[in-house]
């Protein structure tokens, strides 16, 4: 682990981390080979997620593999090192003193979510409810990268929150309908938003949501806690066990507890769009440099738990980019290098194959600056970068948020 970080000059390569979901149908946009979307075998469902810079495992039931969802660091000899062990070994030397002292772990990850249909309407627990099952709460955010969306699936509309006039009794009625079979039609109580590529949403824990059938870049807190509230999705019933998945055993069957999972004010907020929608805006460094060789934009910026940028380096250009915090990075277009590391966006990956599109940059290296070279004479080099809680650069310019 020491030699991997040292020889990488503070940057390490990560192997692709594929995650199946039994209740989803792959949208086939995350650049996995067409023959490999069902590589986890019978009863596991298709691969419709790729987790990025993840130090946690997926919670996919009793068949979940020991490293499922966990990122693996690729050392120079090709060995794979679990990212959670790598973080614990290097601690502040990798994450920086602030993140390590406050969290003692890497407390977020990002993912590509890639479902052909919309997900069922569901909610992620807030801290106090997640703690009852030994987990942290899970806020998340969405960004819809044009580079990953050659099509927008069957239903490119997200249902987010609840209409302001909805009452708790109306929601309880739809939740009780889950047990009757068929469609409990709970999204009739929500509002649907047509997907705008190149934009996104902030979804705090406690807010109901049914993400659209769009390949979505999702920074989020590092856990896999959820409660499915819609009984019909992907043209089939949602198993009742997913309604009670992260409910304490003695409270299963208690629909009032499910209502308690909801942050009611945020769900029925009449200014939901103003408070949750995210249109990208340029970073101060990018503006100061004139955006001639590159452009960098904040794409996730409303949550205190994580943030994200999109970096575009123009053909044939080289730029040195500094950041205040450690970050994970995924290349979604083009080829070039990060310091001494060759990088290239994936086109078609086989299941189990390594790539050169995902990296983690330590805090000391991020602060010193990373030389990003675009080696293509014609194509842009585009990276998405995901940061942990309380990004110091973002905190310094809160007035810039649209």
């Amino acid at each position: 682990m020491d030699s991997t970080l040292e020889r990488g000059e503070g940057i390490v390569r990560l192997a692709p981390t594929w995650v199946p979901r039994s209740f989803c149908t792959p949208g086939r946009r995350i650049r996995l080979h067409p023959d490999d979307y069902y590589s986890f075998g019978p009863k596991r469902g298709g691969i419709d997620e790729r987790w990025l810079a993840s130090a946690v495992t997926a919670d996919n039931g009793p068949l979940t593999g020991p490293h499922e969802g966990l990122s693996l660091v690729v050392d120079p000899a090709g060995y794979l090192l679990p990212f959670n062990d790598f973080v614990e070994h290097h601690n502040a030397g990798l994450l920086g003193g602030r993140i390590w002292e406050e969290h003692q772990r890497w407390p977020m990850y990002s993912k590509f979510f890639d479902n052909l249909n919309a997900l069922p309407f569901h909610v992620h627990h807030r801290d106090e409810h997640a703690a009852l099952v030994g987990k942290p709460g899970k806020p998340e955010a969405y960004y819809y990268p044009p580079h990953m969306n050659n099509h927008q699936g069957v239903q490119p509309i997200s249902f987010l929150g609840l209409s302001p006039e909805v009452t708790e009794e109306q929601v309880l009625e739809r939740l009780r309908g889950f047990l009757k079979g068929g469609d409990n039609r709970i999204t009739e109580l929500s509002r649907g938003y047509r997907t705008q590529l190149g934009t996104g949403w902030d979804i705090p824990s406690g807010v109901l949501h049914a993400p659209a059938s769009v390949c979505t870049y999702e920074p989020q807190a590092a856990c896999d806690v959820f409660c499915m509230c819609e009984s019909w999705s992907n043209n089939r019933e949602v198993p009742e066990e997913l309604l009670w998945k992260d409910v304490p055993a003695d409270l299963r069957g208690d629909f009032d507890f499910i209502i308690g999972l909801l942050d009611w004010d945020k769900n029925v907020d009449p200014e939901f769009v103003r408070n949750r929608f995210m249109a990208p805006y340029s970073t101060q460094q990018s503006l100061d440099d004139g955006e001639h060789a590159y452009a960098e934009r904040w794409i996730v910026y409303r949550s205190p738990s994580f943030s994200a940028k999109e970096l575009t380096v123009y053909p044939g250009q080289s730029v040195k980019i500094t950041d205040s915090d450690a970050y994970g990075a995924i290349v979604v277009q083009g080829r070039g290098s990060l310091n001494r590391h060759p990088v290239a966006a994936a086109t078609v990956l086989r299941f189990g194959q390594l790539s050169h599109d995902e990296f983690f940059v330590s805090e000391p290296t991020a602060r010193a600056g990373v030389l990003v070279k675009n080696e293509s004479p014609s194509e842009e080099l585009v990276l998405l970068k995901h940061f942990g809680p309380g990004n110091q650069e973002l905190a310094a310019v809160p007035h810039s948020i649209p």
Side-chain angles (χ1 to χ4, degrees), residues 242-264:
L242 297 181
L243 173 64
W244 308 111
K245 170 182 171 290
D246 289 304
V247 174
D250 61 331
L251 293 173
R252 291 179 184 176
D254 184 348
F255 287 102
D256 288 324
F257 180 81
I258 303 298
I259 290 291
L261 297 178
L262 308 182
D263 186 323
W264 195 258

Side-chain angles (χ1 to χ4, degrees), residues 198-214:
T199 69
W201 294 91
D202 174 50
I203 305 296
S205 49
V207 172
L208 285 158
H209 52 286
S213 58
V214 177

Side-chain angles (χ1 to χ4, degrees), residues 37-215:
Y37 278 95
Y38 290 85
S39 292
F40 280 86
K43 301 181 180 180
R44 297 307 317 280
I47 296 170
D48 73 334
E49 296 183 5
R50 178 177 173 182
W51 289 20
L52 309 168
S54 167
V56 295
T57 56
D59 187 0
N60 264 341
L63 298 178
T64 306
H67 292 107
E68 196 167 308
L70 178 65
S71 292
L72 301 172
V73 175
V74 184
D75 91 338
Y79 293 106
L80 301 179
L81 311 171
F83 188 51
N84 57 340
D85 293 341
F86 196 82
V87 169
E88 184 176 359
H89 177 76
H90 290 291
N91 52 72
L94 183 72
L95 304 184
R98 181 183 62 84
I99 293 288
W100 181 254
E101 290 168 12
E102 291 179 8
H103 301 277
Q104 299 290 300
R105 65 192 184 106
W106 179 238
M108 67 84 64
Y109 67 98
S110 193
K111 70 164 71 164
F112 287 129
F113 161 73
D114 174 45
N115 197 25
L116 183 65
N117 299 279
L119 267 185
F121 205 45
H122 65 284
V123 65
H124 299 295
H125 300 34
R126 288 173 283 173
D127 287 338
E128 60 268 33
H129 302 104
L132 298 176
V133 291
K135 298 180 180 180
K138 184 182 178 181
E140 62 186 22
Y142 309 144
Y143 174 67
Y144 308 120
H147 321 82
M148 304 294 292
N149 280 289
N150 57 311
H151 69 90
Q152 292 191 30
V154 173
Q155 184 180 296
I157 295 172
S158 293
F159 289 94
L160 307 174
L162 297 166
S163 294
E165 68 277 7
V166 166
T167 66
E168 290 188 11
E169 186 54 43
Q170 288 177 297
V171 177
L172 271 171
E173 179 186 5
R174 300 304 169 98
L175 288 172
R176 294 187 186 110
F178 200 111
L179 307 185
K180 298 177 182 179
D183 188 354
N184 66 349
R185 299 168 65 169
I186 193 170
T187 53
E188 291 177 349
L189 305 181
S190 181
R191 289 182 172 179
Y193 300 92
R194 184 174 176 176
T195 298
Q196 302 176 53
L197 296 183
T199 69
W201 294 91
D202 174 50
I203 305 296
S205 49
V207 172
L208 285 158
H209 52 286
S213 58
V214 177
C215 187

Side-chain angles (χ1 to χ4, degrees), residues 126-391:
R126 288 173 283 173
D127 287 338
E128 60 268 33
H129 302 104
L132 298 176
V133 291
K135 298 180 180 180
K138 184 182 178 181
E140 62 186 22
Y142 309 144
Y143 174 67
Y144 308 120
H147 321 82
M148 304 294 292
N149 280 289
N150 57 311
H151 69 90
Q152 292 191 30
V154 173
Q155 184 180 296
I157 295 172
S158 293
F159 289 94
L160 307 174
L162 297 166
S163 294
E165 68 277 7
V166 166
T167 66
E168 290 188 11
E169 186 54 43
Q170 288 177 297
V171 177
L172 271 171
E173 179 186 5
R174 300 304 169 98
L175 288 172
R176 294 187 186 110
F178 200 111
L179 307 185
K180 298 177 182 179
D183 188 354
N184 66 349
R185 299 168 65 169
I186 193 170
T187 53
E188 291 177 349
L189 305 181
S190 181
R191 289 182 172 179
Y193 300 92
R194 184 174 176 176
T195 298
Q196 302 176 53
L197 296 183
T199 69
W201 294 91
D202 174 50
I203 305 296
S205 49
V207 172
L208 285 158
H209 52 286
S213 58
V214 177
C215 187
T216 306
Y217 172 71
E218 296 187 17
Q220 56 204 265
C223 74
D224 202 12
V225 62
F226 63 82
C227 168
M228 290 295 180
C229 298
E230 186 175 11
S231 60
W232 186 268
S233 181
N234 283 268
N235 295 313
R236 58 179 178 264
E237 286 188 329
V238 177
E240 184 185 337
E241 65 194 56
L242 297 181
L243 173 64
W244 308 111
K245 170 182 171 290
D246 289 304
V247 174
D250 61 331
L251 293 173
R252 291 179 184 176
D254 184 348
F255 287 102
D256 288 324
F257 180 81
I258 303 298
I259 290 291
L261 297 178
L262 308 182
D263 186 323
W264 195 258
D265 290 341
K266 287 186 172 67
N267 276 285
V268 298
D269 181 6
E271 298 291 328
F272 190 90
V273 175
R274 180 186 297 275
N275 292 326
R276 304 269 78 88
F277 182 72
M278 292 184 292
Y281 69 97
S282 295
T283 64
Q284 190 60 50
Q285 183 179 186
S286 180
L287 290 173
D288 291 344
D289 291 347
E291 298 190 326
H292 301 303
Y294 74 103
E296 187 174 57
R297 306 185 301 168
W298 287 107
I299 54 175
V300 171
Y301 47 79
R302 293 196 184 277
S303 175
S305 300
F306 43 72
S307 55
K309 296 177 178 180
E310 179 184 78
L311 171 65
T312 301
V313 179
Y314 301 134
Q317 300 294 321
S318 298
V319 295
K320 189 172 185 178
I321 303 293
T322 59
D323 281 288
S324 61
D325 293 59
Y327 60 90
I330 179 73
V331 183
V332 294
Q333 181 179 335
R335 59 182 174 85
S337 61
L338 301 180
N339 285 353
R340 62 183 300 274
H341 295 266
V343 304
T347 302
V348 179
L349 292 173
R350 298 308 304 248
F351 183 76
Q353 180 181 357
L354 298 179
S355 64
H356 282 83
D357 63 346
E358 187 183 354
F359 298 85
F360 192 86
V361 179
S362 68
E363 193 235 34
T365 298
R367 286 184 173 275
V370 176
L371 183 62
V372 186
K373 294 182 180 180
N374 183 347
E375 296 177 357
S376 171
S378 58
E379 187 178 14
E380 293 176 339
L381 175 64
V382 182
L383 291 80
L384 305 179
K385 307 196 295 186
H386 26 282
F387 301 87
N391 182 281

